[in-house]
Amino acid sequence: MENKHEADVAAPLLKICIKAVSKNMRVLEKQVWDIPSSLIEELLPHLNIFYLERIEDVAVRKGLSTASVWFGLWMEVVKIRPPGNKPIKDWRQKFLERLFHMVTFGHFSEEEHPRLRDPRFSLLSLAAKYVRVLILSRSLAQTSRLSSEEFRPVLKTLEATVTQLKLREIRLSLFHNDFSPVLFVIHRLLHHGSVQTLVMSKCSISSPSLWTWILRMSAGHQDIKKQEGSQSFSSRTQDLEDERRSDFGPNTSGAGTGLSQEAQGCNQEHKSAARKRRLVDDLCAKALKLPRLDISEPRGGAEPGGCSRFDGTPHLPLRQCVDSEILDPGCTLSSFPSLVSGKGGCPVRRITALVLDVCDEVISRVLSPLLSSWFCLCSLKVTCEWSIEEPSLLEMVEALRLLYQNPACSLSVLSITSVCCRISVATLLARLLSACPGLEALTLGFYGAEGNSSSSHQPAPIVSSVKTLQVEFPVEPVHLQGFVTVLQGAQSLTSLHLKGLRCKTPQLSALLLALPGSNPRLLTLSLEELCLSGCQDEVLHLLNRSALQEVRFTDCRLFERNKEEFLGRFVDTVKAQTSLRSISVSKNRLGNQGLIAFADLFSENSLGRIQHLNVSSNYILPDGLLEFGRLLGRHPPSPHLKLDVRENPLDRDPQKTERAMRQLQALCHVTKDCWNSRTTFADHISVM
């Protein structure tokens, strides 16, 4: 009894001591190495975020983790888990990045969270150090704060930390009174910062000048005249530029605009950057037979730092060349005092990854003219809220072809979705692979296409280095003969994802039979929204003849015919594959019968080494899951096995489901959810 009384007295005393220590961390943090690990572990949940962040390095070196403390702060402040299923590796970075956005752009009250307050420290200055992805959206008034003198240190920190800038739903005109501070923030991040990835989505085309300004900055202001072999594209580019200039008003000359001072301020760094880039410029000029664009010396009477317009005429200094073209004569950079800085200059920065949700007008008038000289671009993803029409698509393909003619081209990842054109899938795929021979990953998504267009032309095999290919087919039926022919040239292909393919069964069978021979290096195959019920023999042939490591059949009606007999053959085939590590049969009406048959994949006579099994959304009931767990217990699988049972009506019998989960969780890692099958079924009935 005496020992219990002493423990009861010691517990609140310990808490009092811990709180006292946490309040005096300013005095103790220099001697924090002398504090025992057990005491530091007790201290962590009581420290405010400023000292928690400062003590983390010491805690890690003493073998302690702060992840649970930062996760607790996330749930206390944000209140909901972050979306997605990927585990969070760094909860400190995740929480402080989210906190920065909440404080700067959202509704946040520090008074509600005492551990986030300390008059000796700045919350934004701390959080800004951990912002890797910065999102600027409709809330432009709050964004403008970052351009003020008060927040200049915060913006300076963001320039060093932000590697991805996302612009969402920016709809104000460029000439709006509130826009110049936002323009300054974007300028600092793109020109003076560390941003490598730019994402623009749902930004209104009501101000195409905004798109032009941002994208040309991101491309490093590369305005180079295309000659000889690119005359058609060059003339088209000139036409687009002329149209845009007429829309934005007459061009201003260098005199009397108030821009020359800004250009002079940037000149020194442009000269330094030019010296470093001369070798690349010379290489580019030699490869494309283009005049070298020298931005450090006057040309033809132009001011120092001059650049060429698309017609090759020497004109304004580099910054003037960009900014005066997009701004109304009454709204020059001199209207933006914060942009006209005599210090620091404007170093040339270029975005290496670009993600755009655009319309046809932006593609043809802004993006395509820039692409052909965007040599440092490594990844390009283009989609459209409506659809990308054929003329804009072909202009972009031509721009990509010109880009790849230059040995300095870095583009290896390309994604074009929301395509709507009369060109067949096979023909467009062949054109892209021919125009971009160095691509390693290609995604092509159709919004719609002419149903009979595919039979008009059969492309020849295109030898390419593409390793990852994803194609989302149009809703109309397609002819697969040309597609199979194109695949024959992709000998390096390791990952293939086909979605929404609608064709005749014999053509689909021919594709499945051809894959092992035409693409022997294929390791990952994903088939989604296809009808494989008539190709069961071909599916087994594919599994037997290939060295696949991962296969996904999603919503493929795979077990629709001869279910019992085919289930046995399918399981026997998978059991014999020593290379296969992951299999997904999501949305295939597997049911209890199918799941129980799958337990044989892990029997003692199986040669397979399955480590991931996805049976989500297959109408599996609690009793089927319980029986599967019982059979799995007879021959326990690898402890690394991951089982996905989400979106099954397991809520029909919660007690039986709980028993099954306890049984399975002792054998493998189970991914489940709190899916309400009754609500989902009601929603399904309501739209029938």
Side-chain angles (χ1 to χ4, degrees):
M1 291 294 293
E2 185 176 347
N3 291 338
K4 183 179 179 182
H5 177 70
E6 290 176 356
D8 292 340
V9 172
L13 182 61
L14 178 61
K15 290 183 179 179
I16 293 172
C17 292
I18 289 173
K19 289 182 179 179
V21 171
S22 64
K23 288 181 180 179
N24 292 278
M25 277 300 297
R26 182 165 58 97
V27 178
L28 295 174
E29 69 172 324
K30 291 184 179 180
Q31 289 80 35
V32 72
W33 267 108
D34 299 327
I35 300 177
S37 299
S38 57
L39 182 56
I40 292 180
E41 189 172 16
E42 294 282 353
L43 273 174
L44 293 177
H46 299 277
L47 296 177
N48 66 37
I49 62 170
F50 306 100
Y51 284 119
L52 179 60
E53 190 264 349
R54 290 158 78 113
I55 203 176
E56 175 139 346
D57 289 341
V58 174
V60 170
R61 290 176 188 176
K62 284 179 172 283
L64 303 175
S65 172
T66 62
S68 60
V69 182
W70 289 109
F71 173 71
L73 283 168
W74 174 285
M75 295 306 295
E76 177 185 334
V77 177
V78 183
K79 302 188 186 319
I80 57 173
R81 289 177 175 269
N85 298 319
K86 293 183 179 180
I88 306 299
K89 296 181 180 179
D90 188 345
W91 275 105
R92 175 176 64 171
Q93 187 274 329
K94 187 73 174 177
F95 171 71
L96 290 175
E97 182 177 76
R98 179 61 177 267
L99 184 64
F100 179 87
H101 286 85
M102 292 177 68
V103 174
T104 308
F105 310 116
H107 301 285
F108 177 79
S109 174
E110 293 184 19
E111 288 72 20
E112 297 178 5
H113 306 284
R115 293 178 63 196
L116 306 185
R117 298 200 313 268
D118 193 318
R120 295 165 294 184
F121 302 103
S122 164
L123 187 59
L124 281 180
S125 295
L126 171 67
K129 294 190 300 181
Y130 294 89
V131 178
R132 305 292 178 266
V133 180
L134 181 65
I135 303 174
L136 304 181
S137 57
R138 304 183 215 178
S139 185
L140 298 183
Q142 286 85 348
T143 303
S144 302
R145 297 168 60 197
L146 295 175
S147 67
S148 65
E149 290 295 332
E150 177 187 359
F151 287 90
R152 192 62 57 86
V154 175
L155 181 57
K156 191 70 176 176
T157 301
L158 292 175
E159 291 172 16
T161 62
V162 174
T163 58
Q164 183 175 142
L165 177 62
K166 292 186 177 182
L167 306 178
R168 291 179 178 171
E169 300 183 5
I170 297 180
R171 300 185 180 277
L172 288 180
S173 168
L174 183 63
F175 313 119
H176 193 280
N177 293 334
D178 295 335
F179 208 90
S180 61
V182 179
L183 211 61
F184 170 70
V185 172
I186 296 174
H187 156 74
R188 292 297 306 185
L189 291 170
L190 292 181
H191 263 162
H192 300 264
S194 305
V195 175
Q196 295 294 312
T197 302
L198 174 64
V199 181
M200 293 183 70
S201 61
K202 298 183 179 179
C203 297
S204 175
I205 190 57
S206 61
S207 179
S209 52
L210 172 64
W211 284 91
T212 304
W213 189 78
I214 292 176
L215 289 181
R216 292 184 69 178
M217 255 204 308
S218 304
H221 304 151
Q222 296 297 304
D223 293 342
I224 302 177
K225 180 184 177 183
K226 305 293 178 292
Q227 293 181 341
E228 297 185 4
S230 57
Q231 287 295 333
S232 60
F233 184 77
S234 175
S235 59
R236 174 58 182 153
T237 301
Q238 180 61 43
D239 293 339
L240 296 174
E241 282 295 289
D242 291 340
E243 291 173 13
R244 188 173 55 75
R245 289 171 187 149
S246 64
D247 289 344
F248 299 154
N251 287 320
T252 56
S253 65
T257 61
L259 293 177
S260 57
Q261 182 180 359
E262 163 70 357
Q264 292 294 331
C266 298
N267 222 15
Q268 293 303 317
E269 285 211 32
H270 286 318
K271 288 180 180 179
S272 176
R275 283 191 288 270
K276 296 178 182 179
R277 293 184 0 247
R278 275 176 182 164
L279 287 176
V280 175
D281 290 340
D282 285 335
L283 183 63
C284 299
K286 183 178 180 181
L288 290 180
K289 300 180 181 180
L290 303 177
R292 179 171 58 83
L293 182 61
D294 194 331
I295 64 172
S296 62
E297 299 174 359
R299 280 179 32 179
E303 293 183 26
C307 66
S308 298
R309 293 189 185 277
F310 281 95
D311 59 5
T313 307
H315 209 315
L316 304 174
L318 187 58
R319 284 300 305 279
Q320 284 182 259
C321 181
V322 175
D323 296 316
S324 65
E325 286 187 1
I326 67 165
L327 298 176
D328 185 85
C331 185
T332 64
L333 279 180
S334 59
S335 306
F336 305 148
S338 56
L339 276 175
V340 184
S341 170
K343 297 181 180 180
C346 300
V348 176
R349 300 277 192 258
R350 298 182 189 178
I351 296 298
T352 59
L354 190 61
V355 181
L356 299 177
D357 184 354
V358 296
C359 66
D360 267 13
E361 190 175 5
V362 170
I363 293 174
S364 61
R365 297 173 61 180
V366 183
L367 179 61
S368 291
L370 290 173
L371 268 183
S372 56
S373 58
W374 204 327
F375 304 128
C376 67
L377 192 64
C378 299
S379 175
L380 173 64
K381 298 181 180 180
V382 183
T383 188
C384 185
E385 187 175 353
W386 296 104
S387 62
I388 300 176
E389 302 295 333
E390 189 171 326
S392 299
L393 178 66
L394 294 181
E395 286 180 347
M396 184 161 43
V397 173
E398 175 64 9
L400 290 167
R401 185 185 67 80
L402 293 174
L403 174 63
Y404 265 94
Q405 287 181 358
N406 194 288
C409 173
S410 304
L411 189 66
S412 61
V413 178
L414 176 64
S415 174
I416 306 175
T417 55
S418 302
V419 172
C420 182
C421 67
R422 295 174 59 88
I423 303 174
S424 71
V425 175
T427 302
L428 179 57
L429 182 59
R431 287 193 185 187
L432 282 169
L433 293 177
S434 177
C436 311
L439 274 183
E440 294 183 2
L442 173 61
T443 298
L444 184 60
F446 276 79
Y447 173 80
E450 188 69 25
N452 296 324
S453 62
S454 298
S455 59
S456 60
H457 176 68
Q458 298 299 335
I462 303 296
V463 177
S464 68
S465 59
V466 66
K467 297 178 180 178
T468 301
L469 178 62
Q470 299 185 44
V471 181
E472 182 174 355
F473 290 84
V475 294
E476 293 83 1
V478 299
H479 294 265
L480 274 186
Q481 182 180 350
F483 184 76
V484 173
T485 302
V486 173
L487 286 183
Q488 290 174 357
Q491 293 291 310
S492 301
L493 196 65
T494 60
S495 177
L496 178 63
H497 181 183
L498 306 180
K499 180 179 179 180
L501 176 57
R502 294 164 180 83
C503 64
K504 295 180 179 179
T505 299
Q507 295 184 26
L508 185 54
S509 297
L511 170 64
L512 297 175
L513 292 173
L515 281 177
S518 63
N519 307 103
R521 299 182 183 178
L522 196 63
L523 300 178
T524 300
L525 176 64
S526 177
L527 303 178
E528 185 175 358
E529 296 178 16
L530 279 68
C531 181
L532 295 177
S533 60
C535 305
Q536 293 176 339
D537 290 337
E538 290 78 4
V539 168
L540 300 181
H541 175 273
L542 173 64
L543 293 175
N544 272 318
R545 298 297 180 90
S546 62
L548 288 169
Q549 295 180 1
E550 180 178 359
V551 62
R552 296 190 293 268
F553 300 111
T554 305
D555 195 9
C556 288
R557 300 163 65 179
L558 186 59
F559 307 105
E560 189 172 282
R561 295 184 183 177
N562 307 318
K563 185 173 183 177
E564 184 175 352
E565 185 264 341
F566 179 67
L567 263 172
R569 295 172 62 200
F570 183 83
V571 169
D572 288 341
T573 301
V574 173
K575 285 169 58 178
Q577 304 311 307
T578 57
S579 63
L580 204 56
R581 296 291 183 272
S582 174
I583 183 168
S584 172
V585 289
S586 178
K587 300 181 181 179
N588 276 283
R589 306 175 187 175
L590 196 63
N592 286 352
Q593 177 188 357
L595 180 64
I596 293 170
F598 269 44
D600 196 37
L601 290 174
F602 308 98
S603 62
E604 59 183 1
N605 64 343
S606 175
L607 300 177
R609 301 174 183 176
I610 300 297
Q611 296 181 359
H612 183 210
L613 176 61
N614 185 347
V615 291
S616 62
S617 192
N618 267 298
Y619 200 74
I620 296 169
L621 296 169
D623 54 344
L625 191 66
L626 187 63
E627 178 63 15
F628 176 76
R630 186 184 68 80
L631 293 174
L632 213 59
R634 291 182 178 179
H635 305 286
S638 162
H640 302 295
L641 175 65
K642 296 179 180 179
L643 177 66
D644 190 339
V645 295
R646 290 173 298 170
E647 297 186 12
N648 284 299
L650 300 175
D651 55 337
R652 301 292 177 87
D653 191 336
Q655 293 181 348
K656 193 173 289 187
T657 298
E658 183 62 28
R659 287 169 53 200
M661 286 299 173
R662 286 198 303 268
Q663 197 173 40
L664 288 169
Q665 287 170 347
L667 299 169
C668 59
H669 302 279
V670 184
T671 303
K672 59 185 181 65
D673 55 12
C674 299
W675 194 58
N676 189 329
S677 62
R678 291 174 174 81
T679 302
T680 305
F681 183 73
D683 292 340
H684 173 70
I685 293 296
S686 67
V687 296
M688 287 182 65

